[in-house]
Amino acid sequence: MELRPARPHELPLLREVERASGEPFRAHGMPEIADDEPLLLTELQRLHLWVADKDDTPIAWVGVEVLDNAAHIAQLSVHPAHARQGIGAQLLDHVQAWAAEHDLTALTLTTFRRIPWNEPYYRRLGFTEPAHPSPGLQAVLAAEAERGLRPEDRICLHRPVSERA
């Protein structure tokens, strides 16, 4: 498996990986998340994108934007056929190294509380809830609420770059 920047022609494939990675939400009583449309191509184009590829095909990817001097994980998707193999953690560590190279202070993300492959997963990887989410993270949560995600189901997490880089 290789970690590398996404290639422009692969963006539609990333949407398919994201769509597949949403399917497990159905079994957790969240069919609306499973049915949610993946990021649009225009949204993908504005992110820093890295893929984990197997046989020259993306099987997982991470999309990052710089937000409040942090590498904000806008999306991390692992195809379910390749889940539980440490690929997501490898992608996050890759982003952590990139963030260190760019003098960013942390990795941040928003995720679902109490879904095993969301909040508990990120906590096992060293992410914690900030005492005071940055203005940018607060804006992300507000935008998620506007899209219909219940604020009580969401959490902001961060991991300082210095802890892993």
Side-chain angles (χ1 to χ4, degrees), residues 54-126:
K54 182 177 180 182
D55 301 324
D56 209 34
T57 301
I59 59 171
W61 65 275
V62 62
V64 176
E65 62 186 329
V66 176
L67 181 69
D68 298 334
N69 201 39
H72 180 70
I73 311 298
Q75 184 66 36
L76 174 62
S77 294
V78 178
H79 193 284
H82 302 280
R84 296 179 193 84
Q85 298 175 24
I87 297 168
Q90 289 177 47
L91 283 166
L92 290 170
D93 286 344
H94 185 80
V95 171
Q96 186 108 5
W98 176 83
E101 290 172 10
H102 289 84
D103 295 321
L104 301 176
T105 60
L107 269 61
T108 63
L109 56 89
T110 61
T111 194
F112 285 102
R113 296 179 184 272
R114 295 174 291 280
I115 299 292
W117 61 92
N118 280 196
E119 180 187 9
Y121 170 76
Y122 291 112
R123 287 193 183 272
R124 285 192 305 275
L125 295 177

Side-chain angles (χ1 to χ4, degrees), residues 5-157:
R7 299 172 184 138
H9 73 275
E10 294 174 323
L11 298 185
L13 298 174
L14 303 187
R15 295 184 81 232
E16 293 307 313
V17 171
E18 182 180 351
R19 184 174 280 116
S21 74
E23 273 305 308
F25 283 94
R26 201 174 301 285
H28 279 271
M30 301 173 79
E32 68 282 3
I33 302 304
D35 295 335
D36 194 32
E37 278 299 307
L39 292 173
L40 299 172
L41 293 177
T42 55
E43 293 170 311
L44 291 170
Q45 290 168 340
R46 70 174 180 75
L47 298 173
H48 300 276
L49 298 168
W50 293 273
V51 301
D53 100 13
K54 182 177 180 182
D55 301 324
D56 209 34
T57 301
I59 59 171
W61 65 275
V62 62
V64 176
E65 62 186 329
V66 176
L67 181 69
D68 298 334
N69 201 39
H72 180 70
I73 311 298
Q75 184 66 36
L76 174 62
S77 294
V78 178
H79 193 284
H82 302 280
R84 296 179 193 84
Q85 298 175 24
I87 297 168
Q90 289 177 47
L91 283 166
L92 290 170
D93 286 344
H94 185 80
V95 171
Q96 186 108 5
W98 176 83
E101 290 172 10
H102 289 84
D103 295 321
L104 301 176
T105 60
L107 269 61
T108 63
L109 56 89
T110 61
T111 194
F112 285 102
R113 296 179 184 272
R114 295 174 291 280
I115 299 292
W117 61 92
N118 280 196
E119 180 187 9
Y121 170 76
Y122 291 112
R123 287 193 183 272
R124 285 192 305 275
L125 295 177
F127 284 79
T128 59
E129 186 173 10
H132 304 288
S134 69
L137 282 175
Q138 291 175 24
V140 169
L141 287 173
E144 291 175 350
E146 286 180 20
R147 288 194 338 259
L149 297 177
R150 296 173 3 154
E152 60 270 20
D153 293 338
R154 303 294 288 166
I155 186 170
C156 295
L157 295 172

